[in-house]
Structure formats: structure tokens, C-alpha cells
Amino acid sequence: MRPVQIAAAGIAAVTLALPAFAVEPEDVLQTYSDIALATYEDSLTTAKALDAAVKALVASPSQETLSAAREAWLAARVPYQQSEAFRFGNPIVDDWEGRVNAWPLDEGLIDYVDASYGSESDANDFYTVNVVANGTISAGGETLDTATITPELIQSLHELGGIEANVASGYHAIEFLLWGQDLNGTGPGAGNRPHTDFDTANCTGGNCERRARYLTAASELLIADLEEMVANWQADGEARKGLAEAAPEAGLTAILTGLGSLSYGEMAGERMKLGLLLNDPEEEHDCFSDNTHNSHFYDVRGIVNVWNGSYERIDGTKVEGGSLASLLRERDAALADEMGAKLAATVDAFTTLKKRADDGEAYDQMIGEGNAEGNAAVQAAIDTLVDQTRSLERVIAALDLSGVTIEGSDSLDNPDAVFQ
């Protein structure tokens, strides 16, 4: 109940208890921040487990330790992908995200590549400089000392030359080092790097000691980057304070900007429709490991977490509280039902996509040319994302919010431009 004072002529002011909304915007923002903190904490915990597995691989290279490191990488993606719901509405997250999750990458910057990769690129002077193999790299009139591979060196190489494809750090750099290139196109099979690429006594691929060092340094840098984001969502962290100190409407605008942009421009457009239009396996998110179906599935779960104000942590405990779903229900129950139904349809479509991959047809095969059934399954999932975005636009209007800008994509809005 919310107290309101009323005064009338000749009557002392009295306090009457008037009905209040059960959920206020401040409650939604508190839960949102709590879920963000928990999700990044879980991402950090699983990154530390990945780091331990990486160090075990380097210390004793074998198929078993390589498989264990790959499994740890896959497990680390589960909470991290759910965190992407916090990205687009929060500049402090969006500015940081490229350090940990940038893709696609020109992997020739990091290590050896197959001859089919080519030796040069008009768009990237550093296309095949191969840091692992070289203590000095030169390109575009620039010479860099790469003799000692450290987290700081990797950080300095990220987006080298101002080129976004020069991804030196983060999950996908580590993924490439664990799996190697996926040379199967839209056929079955992921990357197949041998464990002997890290075995200095029986080295394949050359430069095994430097490759191992790059892998461990990239893993250490990932932990440091995640520690930074966990701090941003603590009680005195910049991300949390930014939401708490702004007007509640600004906070809701940030949340809905994030959900709408992830649903539409990022997922439906750049991560899914673009690859489907081009039938190009290079456009799949977790391309080296064939984990893209899970990447998409947990992105959707992250959207649902924020909408419902509930997140299940990796230890099985829950963080929950005031939610957008409850806030909207008090204002427009019919629209709340509509939004809930749209999200349920999206979850169903991505569950179908995930099962299809789990049963043996990887995402890069689904988007392959001539695979009508696989293409249809991907398109059905895209359609649910677009559909839920249309309902999110109505939610924005119902909550009377201004300033929400949902990121678009040529793949959806102007597909002819993709082929130009």
C-alpha cells in the first residue's frame, strides 16, 4: 500500500492507504541488476573452471584433457550467453562485450590455418600474421613485438589495426585454439585440432609451447574481463548505480532496448538470417565447436529470465523478484498474456532447433544450401523472434516509454543489401 496525505478545509491532514501497484519500476530494476550480477558471477565461476581445464591440458596434453577443456568451454557458454540480455541497453556492457564475445574472427591472426583460408585479405593486413608462430609480426607498415605472449599482449592485439575481425581475446579465440578450424563447410563435423598441438614432446602444427601459452594467457584474460563486469553489477558498481540513480523510466527503457535489440537486430538478423541468406557456415556464432544451437538457445533463455524476473543459477538456486511481466500485467493483462505466449513460442522453436542439433544435425548443416527442412527450422525460429519483437513494441507503448531504439539488421529490413 502507498500512503497519500489528503487535507480538506477545517480538517487536519490524514493519511489514507490507497492501493499501490504490487510491482513498481524500482522493483523491476532491482531484480534486473540482481540477475545481471548472478549471471556474470556464474560466467566467472565457469570461466575459472575452464582455466583449470586449460592448464591441465597444457600440463599433460592428451585426448582426455583436450576433451575436458572443450567440455569446460561448452559449460562456460551456458551462463555467459544468458548475460547477453544485459548488453544493448547498458553501454558499460556493450562497450565491454567485444573483448569477450566478438565474432566472426580472422583466425589466421592467432595460429596456423588451412591453405583454403588463403594468404591475404584486402580488408585485413593482419589476416595471416600468426602470432603463435612469430615473435615479431609486421603488416600495414606496423611491426609488433610478440615474443612474450601475455594477457596484456593479447589485449593489445584485439581488433588490431582497428579491424573488428582481428579477434585476439575472449571465448571465440579460446574456442579456436581448442577446436581448430571447422573445415567441413555445411557438412557434418566440427573443428578437430589434435591434442598434440599442445604437446612439446610430440608437437604437431609447430610452436606448441607458444600455442599453449596463448591459450593460457587468453583464459587468464577472460577471467580478468569477467571480474571487471561482476564488479560493475555489485552494490557500488557502475552499471548498477547507473540504473538506480536514473529515473525509473530510463531504467525500463534500457531493459526493453536490450531485449528488443537482442531479439531482432542481433539474433534474428545478424546471427541467424544473415547466415541463412548466404548459406554460409562462417556466419554461425560458435562455429569452431558446432555449439551454435546452444548459443542461440541460451540467448533466448536470457531474454526470458529478464522478462520473468527469474534466473536459475548454475548451482540450482534462483534469483527472482519484481519483473516486467508482473509490471505489465497490472497495466494491460491482455498484452502480458500476449507477450508470454510469444516468448513461449520462441522457446519452443529454439528447443526444436536445439533438439535437431543434439540429434546430429549441426546448425551449420541446417543453414546449408539445399537443406529445405533445416532451413525451415531456422526460419521458424527467426520468425518467433521477429514476432516477439512486434509485441515488445506494443509493451513499450503500453508502458509509455520514449527513447527505446531497437537495433535493426539489413538481413531482415533490406536483404538485397546483403548481396551487394
Side-chain angles (χ1 to χ4, degrees):
M1 304 292 281
R2 183 166 46 197
V4 177
Q5 283 199 331
I6 300 177
I11 304 175
V14 296
T15 299
L16 300 179
L18 298 179
F21 289 121
V23 176
E24 298 291 346
E26 293 84 354
D27 301 326
V28 176
L29 296 175
Q30 175 71 40
T31 304
Y32 177 79
S33 296
D34 290 345
I35 291 176
L37 174 60
T39 307
Y40 286 115
E41 285 178 336
D42 284 352
S43 298
L44 176 58
T45 296
T46 53
K48 288 179 177 178
L50 169 61
D51 185 63
V54 159
K55 288 184 166 72
L57 165 64
V58 168
S60 181
S62 68
Q63 189 56 51
E64 290 73 20
T65 54
L66 176 58
S67 296
R70 289 173 174 174
E71 288 300 319
W73 186 90
L74 294 171
R77 295 296 281 168
V78 172
Y80 180 77
Q81 287 305 115
Q82 291 176 76
S83 80
E84 291 212 287
F86 303 99
R87 177 182 166 190
F88 295 95
N90 297 285
I92 199 167
V93 178
D94 204 28
D95 292 345
W96 165 93
E97 184 271 348
R99 286 150 50 188
V100 298
N101 198 43
W103 74 285
L105 67 161
D106 287 349
E107 55 264 41
L109 169 74
I110 298 173
D111 199 2
Y112 74 85
V113 289
D114 186 75
S116 61
Y117 182 83
S119 59
E120 60 184 19
S121 164
D122 291 339
N124 186 2
D125 289 335
F126 299 90
Y127 189 62
T128 54
V129 294
N130 192 348
V131 171
V132 164
N134 295 289
T136 302
I137 60 172
S138 298
E142 188 173 2
T143 299
L144 299 171
D145 179 0
T146 55
T148 304
I149 300 176
T150 63
E152 292 74 22
L153 174 68
I154 292 174
Q155 193 170 47
S156 73
L157 295 173
H158 191 64
E159 297 188 355
L160 185 60
I163 300 167
E164 290 185 356
N166 285 332
V167 176
S169 65
Y171 287 100
H172 295 297
I174 295 169
E175 179 193 12
F176 167 56
L177 286 166
L178 289 176
W179 272 272
Q181 289 178 286
D182 181 352
L183 300 173
N184 302 293
T186 55
N192 192 29
R193 185 186 294 278
H195 71 269
T196 47
D197 268 10
F198 302 98
D199 188 345
T200 56
N202 302 283
C203 184
T204 54
N207 309 290
C208 286
E209 185 174 355
R210 284 178 60 82
R211 182 174 300 108
R213 181 59 195 143
Y214 197 115
L215 177 59
T216 55
S219 178
E220 291 162 4
L221 181 56
L222 178 62
I223 289 172
D225 285 334
L226 288 167
E227 286 174 338
E228 176 185 324
M229 191 49 61
V230 167
N232 280 324
W233 290 100
Q234 298 282 3
D236 59 348
E238 293 302 314
R240 187 184 287 263
K241 285 198 302 184
L243 285 173
E245 293 172 0
E249 292 75 15
L252 295 179
T253 294
I255 296 174
L256 285 161
T257 296
L259 297 187
S261 295
L262 179 59
S263 295
Y264 190 76
E266 186 68 9
M267 283 196 68
E270 295 307 298
R271 296 193 186 180
M272 298 186 72
K273 187 63 176 182
L274 179 60
L276 187 58
L277 286 170
L278 299 175
N279 305 117
D280 186 358
E282 293 297 314
E283 295 297 337
E284 62 161 339
H285 196 209
D286 294 3
C287 65
F288 306 113
S289 60
D290 273 354
N291 185 56
T292 302
H293 59 290
N294 283 318
S295 180
H296 292 343
F297 178 84
Y298 286 107
D299 263 317
V300 168
R301 179 171 288 185
I303 292 168
V304 173
N305 293 344
V306 169
W307 181 258
N308 289 329
S310 180
Y311 168 63
E312 183 174 340
R313 301 197 62 162
I314 57 174
D315 65 2
T317 61
K318 283 193 174 181
V319 178
E320 50 193 357
S323 66
L324 274 173
S326 298
L327 184 71
L328 178 63
R329 182 160 298 283
E330 294 181 348
R331 290 154 173 76
D332 189 331
L335 183 55
D337 287 341
E338 175 187 316
M339 191 66 218
K342 295 293 179 66
L343 286 171
T346 301
V347 170
D348 285 347
F350 280 84
T351 299
T352 297
L353 209 65
K354 176 172 162 51
K355 184 178 186 304
R356 192 177 185 92
D358 289 341
D359 287 346
E361 183 183 56
Y363 186 84
D364 54 8
Q365 295 175 263
M366 294 184 216
I367 63 173
E369 186 175 6
N371 183 354
E373 189 176 324
N375 285 191
V378 173
Q379 184 61 55
I382 293 169
D383 290 344
T384 63
L385 289 169
V386 173
D387 204 23
Q388 78 181 31
T389 305
R390 300 287 84 88
S391 291
L392 277 172
E393 290 169 343
R394 289 190 281 278
V395 171
I396 292 162
L399 295 178
D400 196 24
L401 297 173
S402 60
V404 178
T405 302
I406 294 177
E407 183 175 294
S409 167
D410 278 347
S411 304
L412 299 171
D413 305 322
N414 184 23
D416 288 344
V418 172
F419 299 98
Q420 293 175 359

